[in-house]
């Protein structure tokens, strides 16, 4: 479980980088361009890092399920 902690922290930071700039813009502390860049970088980082630590193992009946 200790190996996953850095990835989980990186995922949380990426999620914060997606949400916090919007709040700062709402408060009038940063500009719209800064929000766009920070949210884009945070979103890309979150989609890259999160699936790594949220991977799941296949269940016994996964082969029987058709989607």
């Amino acid at each position: 479980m200790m190996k996953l902690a850095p990835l989980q922290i990186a995922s949380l930071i990426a999620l914060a980088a997606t949400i916090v700039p919007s709040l700062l813009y709402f408060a009038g502390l940063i500009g719209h361009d800064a929000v766009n860049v920070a949210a884009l970088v945070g979103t890309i980082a979150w989609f890259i890092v999160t699936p790594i630590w949220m991977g799941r193992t296949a269940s016994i009946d996964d082969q029987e399920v058709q989607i």
Side-chain angles (χ1 to χ4, degrees):
M1 187 71 167
M2 295 303 273
K3 285 181 150 180
L4 297 179
L7 290 175
Q8 290 173 340
I9 292 170
S11 179
L12 184 61
I13 291 170
L15 184 61
T18 304
I19 297 171
V20 172
S22 299
L23 299 173
L24 293 175
Y25 178 75
F26 183 71
L29 299 174
I30 62 174
H32 190 260
D33 291 335
V35 173
N36 286 343
V37 171
L40 179 64
V41 170
T43 301
I44 291 170
W46 190 83
F47 273 106
I48 290 171
V49 173
T50 302
I52 295 171
W53 68 265
M54 287 190 74
R56 67 175 188 93
T57 59
S59 298
I60 296 170
D61 63 345
D62 277 355
Q63 295 176 352
E64 298 174 14
V65 177
Q66 294 181 356
I67 297 177

